[in-house]
Amino acid sequence: MKRTANLLLLLQLLLFAFQPISSQPWDGVIVTQGDYQALQAIKHELTDPNGVLRSWNDSGSGACSGQWLGIKCAQGQVIVIQLPWKGLSGRVSEKIGQLSALRKLNLHDNFISGMIPTSLGFLPNLRGVHLFNNRFSGSIPPSIGSCPLLQTLDLSNNLLTGIIPESLANSTRLYKINLSFNALTGSIPVALSHSPSLTFLALQYNNLSGSVPDTWGGKEENNFYQLQILTLDHNLISGHFPPSLSKLGKLEEISMNHNQINGTIPNEIGNLLRLRVLDLSNNAINGQIPVNLGNITNLTQLDLSQNNLTRDIPASLADLPKLNSFNVSFNNLSGSVPFSLSEKFNSSSFVGNLQLCGYSVSTPCPSIPPSHNIPALSPETSKKSGGKLSTRSIILIASGALLGVLLLLCSIWVCCLTSRRNDSKAKNGQTIRKASASAGEKGAPVSGTEVEAGGEVGGKLVHFDGPTVFTADDLLCATAEIMGKSTYGTVYKATLEDGSQVAVKRLREKIAKSQKEFEGEVNGLGKIRHPNLLALRAYYMGPKGEKLLVFDFMPRGSLAAFLHARGPDTPIDWPTRMKIAIGAARGLSYLHTSENIIHGNLTAANILLDEQTNAKIADYGLSRLMTTNANSNVVATAGALGYRAPELSKLKNLSTKTDVYSLGVIILELLTGKSPGDSMNGVDLPQWVASIVNEEWTNEVFDLELMSDANNGDELLNTLKLALHCVDPSPAARPEVDQVLQQLEQIKPELPVSSGDDGGD
């Protein structure tokens, strides 16, 4: 029990960034008159359409006994106001400053407007202010900097204007400031760069100007300063990149993209050995890429695109072992791309550099032309070749003509057989030919990566590897059963003549790229093999533009159906659910780290299960085959289903963190048994789970099937904590999928590394 209580506290830490008051019995002390009057004033100025504050209606005797929703007390004084996701509007009364013992104010994800109360600065015990995702306006009160114990200030996604007060740095315990997605102006206060406790600083999507302070780290040792996350992107910041940032040895992420930063990237940046993300794209940075960047072995994302960088790409970058996202496009770089980088990343990472070569077939590096190895044709030889045909040539021509006649007769015979077999198939059920309205001709069986031409009617079948051998005719004449439809197209279960089954996805018309681009991308996808990724075995392009993708058939269907379409007599135990979660994390980790692919549409519907319930992620990389408009529709669909990260409602840029959010929703789905599309009082699944945990009823979150085994308690709580970390509203606060996988494997270490094949059998 003691261990479980500790895990509950960890969950609260994750949600609110400091240790809350634990759920203890009421001490019997009635709320003070001053606190009672302040609460009544707060209720009076809030608009409560859902009636959540109905419990605040007696003389005050129930305020501290747990009868007033969202209120916690100690010794008759209010210490917590906790009312997130309650649909509240109106404004927060200045009378809140009378709650002298208040430690935490949590009103995030409501519709509250008006000014942030200046009286918050009168609260000496205030530790956490969580007002994000509301409609607060006006400026940030400088008085908030007078709270000596303040640890977390999150005012993100409001309508705040004015400058960032210098006084915020006065609190020596402040470790998280999130003011992103507002309309703040002015410069970044220099005082913030002197704050040793500050760990997380998020100021992105404002109108900040001036330069980034170059006073980070002071004269102290590197380990004295705690800053790990610095996000300043999408502002109007100018000046040079500050070299003093290199003193902050704990920095893991620097994001300054979409600003007006100029000058060069300092060589000292190579000292940031913990750095995982460096995004300086869309600025005016010049000079060359520092060779010392190759020292940062933890670097996973490097984006220097849309700048004025010159010279070559340092060979040291090719040795970064964890680099899975790399972009230097649209600069003035020259020379050849290091071979391993050109192999790992596609041309979009390098385009827009006119003097850069070696990153694609169309941009070869110039080579020294061969010297006189091939003799020129002599005049005498030319004269001889212009003479009469020899007897041998005549015989060869005649033989060729005879062979052509024989081939024509064979073709007519094959067509007759094909027609007869199609008539027979039509009696048994729909065929892929009918379903896709396409056609093809029979050719020789193929294996490995081979191309089969479509003959008279046209079309092309391209095989990769796999256990099932079939021809274009076999595929197009297979009996087809519709399994589902999506934004990408329709999926069929195709039963071939020999009884084997494959899954065929027919892409919707006019959503795929041109044939040349399509073939280039799909051939790359066909080479991807991992035990937790659904293998692409073949594709077919018809003469009228039809496009079919052929995959392994998964007999147990999707995770969504496995969880939500089963009967009451088919329970799913915790080890099975955990196995699925780990499998999905492994597959997603491989996509991010080895293939540089962001899924962008990860849902329970496209995680498929084989006979041993091994998870296989489907639909990965399909965005590479589609037009931009088609991909926008896919992102919108994911949002409707409840898997889309919240930042995508304003931004359309997918990232590894948006995939991690989707994975977190899927893990919550496995824990709760609830579908993200279900109605939960107007909130989505992550919000519903967080609200239950917030009210300290954590056990109510879990699927009842999982509560029958008491031995699972610690694993469930640890997994829930991890899932809530994945669905953090701030992308910067989410872990990378490698970290998620590592923690899942630590929670359930006895699961094998791989429970299925490698996807390539």
Side-chain angles (χ1 to χ4, degrees), residues 554-728:
M554 294 292 109
R556 304 197 76 159
S558 70
L559 174 58
F562 186 66
L563 273 178
H564 309 303
R566 58 195 169 97
D569 299 327
T570 54
I572 305 172
D573 60 18
W574 173 238
T576 300
R577 299 187 196 213
M578 187 55 145
K579 175 183 177 182
I580 293 170
I582 291 178
R586 285 175 181 158
L588 189 61
S589 174
Y590 183 83
L591 288 177
H592 286 185
T593 59
S594 298
E595 297 296 340
N596 193 31
I597 289 178
I598 295 170
H599 192 290
N601 188 32
L602 188 65
T603 69
N606 53 38
I607 293 179
L608 306 181
L609 304 175
D610 65 12
E611 291 179 347
Q612 290 77 40
T613 63
N614 294 307
K616 308 269 188 179
I617 296 178
D619 282 6
Y620 57 89
L622 292 192
S623 59
R624 296 184 173 185
L625 310 180
M626 307 302 162
T627 62
T628 304
N629 289 339
N631 285 321
S632 298
N633 292 334
V634 171
V635 173
T637 302
L641 295 175
Y643 296 89
R644 182 179 65 182
E647 65 268 21
L648 291 177
S649 60
K650 291 186 176 181
L651 315 173
K652 301 303 178 186
N653 294 331
L654 297 170
S655 69
T656 57
K657 296 297 183 74
T658 57
D659 275 355
V660 168
Y661 182 94
S662 301
L663 179 63
V665 175
I666 290 167
I667 296 174
L668 289 178
E669 198 171 352
L670 287 164
L671 288 167
T672 65
K674 294 183 178 294
S675 170
D678 291 346
S679 176
M680 286 168 275
N681 298 319
V683 298
D684 59 23
L685 180 59
Q687 292 171 338
W688 177 81
V689 171
S691 66
I692 299 296
V693 173
N694 182 38
E695 296 296 336
E696 299 183 1
W697 291 92
T698 303
N699 285 348
E700 299 295 324
V701 163
F702 299 116
D703 194 333
L704 289 176
E705 293 176 4
L706 302 179
M707 301 305 293
S708 58
D709 187 352
N711 296 325
N712 295 333
D714 289 351
E715 292 180 8
L716 292 174
L717 288 168
N718 275 318
T719 307
L720 178 59
K721 180 184 72 171
L722 176 60
L724 288 172
H725 195 183
C726 293
V727 296
D728 193 293

Side-chain angles (χ1 to χ4, degrees), residues 198-317:
L198 193 59
T199 302
F200 181 102
L201 180 59
L203 304 177
Q204 69 268 30
Y205 284 89
N206 279 286
N207 297 316
L208 299 174
S209 56
S211 59
V212 181
D214 194 14
T215 50
W216 302 90
K219 297 180 180 179
E220 306 290 343
E221 295 295 327
N222 286 5
N223 58 8
F224 185 75
Y225 286 83
Q226 305 299 315
L227 191 64
Q228 296 178 14
I229 307 293
L230 179 63
T231 53
L232 308 176
D233 51 276
H234 291 84
N235 278 287
L236 304 172
I237 298 170
S238 57
H240 292 189
F241 183 94
S244 61
L245 278 176
S246 62
K247 298 179 181 179
L248 305 180
K250 296 184 179 180
L251 261 180
E252 296 182 7
E253 179 172 339
I254 300 175
S255 180
M256 298 184 183
N257 61 82
H258 290 85
N259 279 290
Q260 300 168 11
I261 297 171
N262 52 45
T264 61
I265 304 172
N267 288 325
E268 296 92 330
I269 199 169
N271 297 333
L272 298 175
L273 300 183
R274 294 191 183 183
L275 197 64
R276 294 182 295 103
V277 177
L278 178 62
D279 190 345
L280 303 178
S281 60
N282 287 272
N283 280 288
I285 298 172
N286 53 46
Q288 62 186 98
I289 300 173
V291 175
N292 289 351
L293 281 177
N295 298 339
I296 311 175
T297 55
N298 286 311
L299 202 61
T300 61
Q301 297 180 42
L302 177 60
D303 194 342
L304 304 176
S305 61
Q306 301 279 353
N307 280 288
N308 299 316
L309 295 168
T310 56
R311 307 283 294 273
D312 57 356
I313 299 173
S316 60
L317 300 187

Side-chain angles (χ1 to χ4, degrees), residues 289 309-313 328 331-335 353 355-356:
I289 300 173
L309 295 168
T310 56
R311 307 283 294 273
D312 57 356
I313 299 173
V328 292
N331 280 281
N332 297 315
L333 298 171
S334 58
N353 294 281
Q355 299 181 59
L356 200 61

Side-chain angles (χ1 to χ4, degrees), residues 23 50 63 77 88 119 121 170 177 190 220 224 275 298 350 367 378 392 423 443 473 542 604 626 653 719 739:
S23 181
N50 299 325
Q77 292 185 291
L88 300 171
S119 60
N170 291 345
I177 297 178
V190 173
E220 306 290 343
F224 185 75
L275 197 64
N298 286 311
F350 307 100
S367 58
S378 67
R392 182 181 178 188
D423 291 341
D473 187 61
M626 307 302 162
N653 294 331
T719 307
Q739 297 168 291

Side-chain angles (χ1 to χ4, degrees), residues 466-534:
T468 306
V469 177
F470 53 87
T471 66
D473 187 61
D474 293 331
L475 179 63
L476 296 173
C477 296
T479 303
E481 175 186 341
I482 294 179
M483 297 170 61
K485 296 184 178 181
S486 69
T487 309
Y488 286 126
T490 304
V491 182
Y492 301 88
K493 179 175 77 173
T495 304
L496 303 174
E497 189 176 33
D498 63 0
S500 58
Q501 295 176 327
V502 293
V504 179
K505 181 185 287 288
R506 178 178 184 258
L507 301 180
R508 285 174 49 207
E509 294 180 5
K510 299 180 181 179
I511 70 166
K513 293 179 177 177
S514 65
Q515 180 172 331
K516 184 178 179 180
E517 289 179 292
F518 179 88
E519 286 190 81
E521 296 289 359
V522 77
N523 283 322
L525 294 180
K527 298 175 183 177
I528 297 174
R529 293 293 179 264
H530 186 272
N532 298 111
L533 298 177
L534 187 67

